[in-house]
């Protein structure tokens, strides 16, 4: 950065060193564009329009929770998850498509939040459930093979998408912490002799 | 020859520049996405403090340790903190700030990471390398050398420093997640022509119950011990798994001394290693049958069993193979992955 004070010349001194310093600074100070920056070169000078308001990262499973919850589409083993839509009272795909893959006009499904469904700390989870058989396969022909639900406490199966904290009166959402950021494939890990397997959700 | 008077230069050129420089650009708009475990730093006038954006391991927020004066009034109430000087452990979702721990020096002024002496008495040292980014800022590689005198029996570290050199300090943060610890108990018996070595694999519940945010001068990834070492008890299995979160660097002003205090004139830089929430699992989940004793017949004559287990196993590759196989299937060392 140029210190303008360094360009001052005392009476009787030569201007040339200050001139060279200024030229050097101008060469170094070339204005260049970058992401979100637009330059207009006018006779009056350079106008730099900086618009750094980048759209937030639209990752899978991004949860927005208020009285209802919106969840951005995500997949498990390539199957798009569904959610109980408060508008239509039906299980609908998060990507706003019907079972045949055709786009619908109903908008994204909205999950109604039950404010009585929380733990002692006043928190609940937005939870991803996948119907995985004991052999480790996902039956994608079954409606609701991959669903998103509200859960009071952690479940033994599935994957939390977000944890949501309510206010002290338990009537509104204070903060939502996003947990999941990826689409998933599932592996099973045997956890006891009864054959109950832990579902391990791995990024796909 | 054309001449510009100093007065004209100062008025027309310098004066015009004064009106236009420096210009400032104020950023207006949304913040960029910050990932879980993102670190931020600030100097409160006395100390450097860091804060970590809430991140989760197996759906639970990491727990950090700090003091009452570095948490919000709301968190003070929530965790019943009596004094601002009291230590307190609380989850990252309560937004604690932590005082930075002791730091290490990298480059100029650093101590050697390792030293060795050749048979000829030549001393070789190695230092943690200075990242290229910081070399461009004026940090130089360490030129410390060990000067020794065999005659007088002393070794002295001599640091040479170039003029204008900046000092680089750093500390690491990491996650510690508790897990079952695997241990092995051995018993010996004899029959007519052989020694029976019986080992039982046990599991100890860890004392910690939550994943912790750790910090210190340097995170050391412990090398995984061999199964024979764990099996024989030469190395004890741990009650936790660890993974590095970030390195926080501080660059001094030019011409600093390695002993200079880390004050607000130092510039912090961050290098994250983890960008998403994590899941953690045990390699093996113990089954009820896993704690049943396993008997190995050594083949050695009764009564002369080697009391050293490592030596006993070394007698017979098959025996070692069998024991290691059982241990491998039942030990609990865990793994992290992003979700």
């Amino acid at each position: 950065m140029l210190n303008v004070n360094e360009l001052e010349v005392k009476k009787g001194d030569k201007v040339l060193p200050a001139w060279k310093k200024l030229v050097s600074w101008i060469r170094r100070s070339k204005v260049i564009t970058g992401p979100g920056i637009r330059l207009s070169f006018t006779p009056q000078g350079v106008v730099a329009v900086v618009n750094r308001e980048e759209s937030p990262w639209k990752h899978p499973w991004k949860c927005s929770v208020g009285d209802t919850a919106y969840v951005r589409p995500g997949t498990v083993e390539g199957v798009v998850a569904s959610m109980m839509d408060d508008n239509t009272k039906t299980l609908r795909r998060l990507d706003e498509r019907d079972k045949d893959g055709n786009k619908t006009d109903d908008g994204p499904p909205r999950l109604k939040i039950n404010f009585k469904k929380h733990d002692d700390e006043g928190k609940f989870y937005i939870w991803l459930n996948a119907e995985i058989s004991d052999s480790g396969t996902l039956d994608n022909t079954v409606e609701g093979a991959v669903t998103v639900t509200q859960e009071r406490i952690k479940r033994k199966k599935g994957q939390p998408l977000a944890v949501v904290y309510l206010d002290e009166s338990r009537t509104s959402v204070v903060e939502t912490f996003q947990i999941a950021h990826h689409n998933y494939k599932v592996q099973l890990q045997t956890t006891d002799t009864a054959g109950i397997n832990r579902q391990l959700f791995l990024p796909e | 020859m054309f001449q510009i008077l100093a007065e004209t230069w100062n008025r027309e050129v310098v004066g015009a520049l004064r009106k236009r420089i420096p210009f400032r650009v104020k950023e207006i708009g949304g913040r960029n996405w910050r990932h879980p475990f993102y670190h931020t730093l600030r100097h409160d006038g006395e100390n450097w403090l860091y804060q970590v954006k809430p991140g989760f391991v197996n759906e639970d927020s990491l727990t950090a340790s700090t003091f009452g004066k570095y948490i919000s009034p709301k968190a003070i109430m929530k965790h019943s903190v009596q004094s601002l000087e009291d230590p307190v452990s609380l989850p990252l979702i309560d937004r604690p700030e932590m005082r930075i721990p002791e730091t290490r020096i990298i480059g100029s002024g650093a101590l050697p990471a390792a030293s060795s002496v050749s048979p000829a008495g030549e001393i070789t040292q190695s230092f943690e390398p200075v990242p290229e980014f910081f070399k461009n800022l004026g940090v130089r590689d360490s030129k410390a050398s060990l000067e020794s005198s065999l005659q007088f029996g002393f070794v002295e570290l001599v640091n040479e420093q170039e003029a204008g050199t900046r000092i680089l300090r750093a500390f690491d943060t990491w996650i510690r997640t508790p897990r079952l610890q695997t241990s092995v108990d051995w018993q010996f018996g004899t029959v007519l022509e052989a020694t029976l070595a019986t080992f039982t694999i046990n599991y100890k519940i860890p004392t910690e119950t939550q994943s912790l945010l750790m910090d210190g001068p340097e995170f050391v990834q412990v090398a995984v011990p061999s199964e024979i070492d764990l099996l024989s008890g030469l190395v004890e299995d741990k009650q936790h798994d660890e993974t590095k979160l970030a390195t926080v660097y501080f660059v001094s002003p030019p011409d600093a001394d390695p002993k200079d205090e880390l004050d607000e004139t130092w510039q912090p830089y961050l290098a994250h290693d983890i960008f998403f929430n994590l899941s953690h699992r045990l390699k093996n989940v113990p089954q009820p049958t896993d704690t049943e004793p396993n008997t190995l017949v050594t083949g050695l004559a009764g009564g002369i069993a080697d009391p050293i287990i490592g030596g006993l196993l070394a007698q017979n590759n098959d025996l070692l193979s069998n024991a290691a196989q059982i241990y491998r299937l039942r030990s609990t060392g865990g793994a992290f992955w992003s979700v």
Side-chain angles (χ1 to χ4, degrees):
Chain A
M1 190 66 190
L2 177 73
N3 182 353
V4 180
N5 293 334
E6 292 177 7
L7 295 181
E8 288 246 17
V9 179
K10 288 178 187 166
K11 198 172 182 179
D13 285 354
K14 290 187 175 176
V15 167
L16 192 58
W19 171 259
K20 286 182 176 172
K21 204 177 278 183
L22 178 61
V23 170
S24 163
W25 177 76
I26 289 169
R27 285 202 176 115
R28 278 185 284 122
S29 305
K30 190 178 176 187
V31 182
I32 56 173
T33 59
I37 299 173
R38 186 160 45 85
L39 298 177
S40 303
F41 293 86
T42 73
Q44 287 75 36
V46 181
V47 179
V49 178
V50 182
N51 182 10
R52 298 297 297 273
E53 193 168 3
E54 296 161 7
S55 56
W57 181 34
K58 293 178 178 175
H59 58 79
W61 313 118
K62 186 174 170 57
C63 300
S64 304
V65 186
D67 290 346
T68 55
Y70 293 92
V71 180
R72 279 193 54 77
T75 61
V76 178
E77 301 284 356
V79 176
V80 180
S82 302
M83 195 163 73
M84 181 56 73
D85 180 23
D86 188 44
N87 272 348
T88 60
K89 311 294 182 199
T90 57
L91 199 61
R92 291 183 51 222
R93 278 170 51 160
L94 298 180
D95 62 357
E96 304 172 48
R97 292 179 185 275
D98 63 22
K99 61 181 180 181
D100 299 321
N102 300 316
K103 195 89 174 172
T104 65
D105 297 326
D106 296 329
R110 293 186 306 148
L111 177 71
K112 184 160 181 60
I113 296 302
N114 179 351
F115 285 94
K116 291 181 179 170
K117 198 171 183 179
H118 58 77
D119 68 6
D120 294 342
E121 277 185 81
K123 71 172 190 291
F124 63 82
Y125 295 91
I126 303 296
W127 202 270
L128 175 63
N129 314 278
E131 294 301 325
I132 308 285
S133 70
D134 288 342
S135 60
T137 55
L138 179 76
D139 186 358
N140 58 11
T141 59
V142 176
E143 192 184 16
V146 181
T147 56
V148 174
T149 54
Q150 178 189 355
E151 299 296 335
R152 191 174 67 83
I153 53 172
K154 295 178 196 174
R155 297 187 65 207
K156 283 191 174 176
K157 291 187 175 182
Q159 165 70 32
L161 300 179
V163 56
V164 183
Y165 281 80
L166 300 175
D167 65 356
E168 285 182 10
S169 64
R170 314 300 194 226
T171 54
S172 65
V173 171
V174 174
E175 198 158 15
T176 301
F177 294 99
Q178 184 72 34
I179 293 178
H181 292 93
H182 299 94
N183 292 318
Y184 294 114
K185 56 187 176 184
V186 180
Q187 282 183 5
L188 297 180
Q189 183 182 34
T190 303
T191 56
D192 63 26
T193 47
I196 295 175
N197 297 316
R198 180 184 172 190
Q199 295 175 346
L200 305 178
F201 285 75
L202 308 173
E204 194 165 45
Chain B
M1 185 178 168
F2 179 71
Q3 281 194 327
I4 300 174
L5 296 175
E7 186 185 352
T8 310
W9 168 265
N10 289 341
R11 187 182 63 243
E12 299 297 331
V13 179
V14 179
L17 287 171
R18 276 195 204 288
K19 290 179 186 170
R20 291 168 172 79
I21 298 172
F23 64 90
R24 291 172 186 273
V25 177
K26 191 172 181 182
E27 191 172 318
I28 302 169
R31 287 181 308 162
N32 290 337
W33 180 72
R34 286 189 172 173
H35 58 78
F37 304 117
Y38 186 93
H39 292 37
T40 50
L41 286 117
R42 75 177 180 96
H43 195 275
D44 72 347
E46 290 182 2
N47 299 293
W48 277 101
L49 306 174
Y50 76 99
Q51 193 173 42
V52 180
K53 186 181 170 186
F56 295 79
V57 177
N58 289 347
E59 308 94 62
D60 293 320
S61 171
L62 279 194
T63 297
S65 296
T66 187
F67 295 93
K69 60 183 171 184
Y70 299 132
I71 64 176
S72 67
K74 191 177 168 187
I76 286 177
M77 296 283 286
K78 181 177 171 184
H79 297 279
S80 307
V81 178
Q82 300 298 318
S83 159
L84 295 182
E85 299 301 324
D86 281 356
V88 56
S89 292
L90 69 173
L92 291 182
I93 58 168
D94 289 332
R95 304 296 202 290
E97 287 184 300
M98 284 70 67
R99 208 155 53 197
I100 66 162
E102 290 291 311
T103 55
R104 67 185 187 277
I105 296 181
I106 305 169
S108 187
L111 295 171
S115 303
S116 60
V117 183
S118 71
E122 193 175 314
I123 301 172
T124 310
Q125 302 158 82
S126 62
F127 295 87
E128 182 178 356
V130 177
E132 205 60 32
F133 175 84
F134 295 110
K135 285 184 179 173
N136 294 331
L137 294 180
V139 179
R140 297 285 169 261
D141 282 320
S142 178
K143 291 195 173 171
S145 59
L146 286 173
E147 288 189 355
S148 64
S149 167
L150 294 177
Q151 185 182 352
F152 300 108
F154 71 84
V155 176
E156 188 182 12
L157 186 72
V158 180
N159 257 306
E160 293 173 22
Q161 200 171 323
E162 291 174 29
T165 300
R166 293 169 188 261
I167 303 297
L168 180 63
R169 289 184 168 275
F171 72 91
D172 292 337
T173 58
W174 64 93
I175 294 172
R176 174 177 289 179
T177 295
R179 64 162 170 85
L180 287 177
Q181 177 186 16
T182 311
S183 65
V184 182
D185 291 331
W186 285 88
Q187 284 190 329
F188 299 95
T190 54
V191 291
L192 283 178
E193 292 182 340
T195 298
L196 300 180
T198 302
F199 70 94
T200 309
I201 294 178
N202 295 310
Y203 301 99
K204 289 181 188 168
I205 294 173
T207 49
E208 296 287 349
T209 56
Q210 292 165 317
S211 292
L212 304 176
L213 171 69
M214 310 293 291
D215 59 29
E218 188 167 16
F219 171 68
V220 180
Q221 183 74 62
V222 178
V224 179
S226 70
E227 277 150 359
I228 181 69
D229 285 347
L230 289 164
L231 190 59
S232 62
L234 290 174
V235 178
E236 195 176 42
D237 189 28
K238 292 190 177 304
Q239 290 196 338
H240 56 253
D241 290 315
E242 294 180 330
T243 188
K244 190 175 156 210
L245 268 181
T247 299
V248 180
Y249 297 94
F250 291 91
V251 179
S252 76
D255 289 320
D257 187 273
K259 291 174 187 164
D260 281 357
E261 189 186 343
L262 191 61
D263 59 20
E264 68 273 21
T265 62
W266 294 57
Q267 178 68 41
Y269 294 87
L270 284 163
H272 289 98
D273 290 83
I274 300 229
F275 302 89
F276 295 104
N277 296 309
L278 300 174
S279 273
H280 173 267
R281 69 158 182 169
L282 298 178
K283 189 174 71 180
N284 300 300
V285 179
Q287 309 294 309
T289 52
D290 285 352
T291 52
E292 289 172 3
N294 302 278
T295 301
L296 305 169
V297 182
T298 69
L300 296 174
I304 60 165
D306 190 333
I308 301 168
I309 300 156
L312 177 72
L313 292 172
Q315 302 286 324
N316 188 318
N317 279 337
D318 288 342
L319 196 68
L320 168 62
S321 176
N322 289 344
Q325 171 84 350
I326 293 168
Y327 186 88
R328 194 178 306 127
L329 291 173
R330 299 183 185 181
S331 60
T332 52
F336 294 95
W337 74 93
S338 300
V339 291

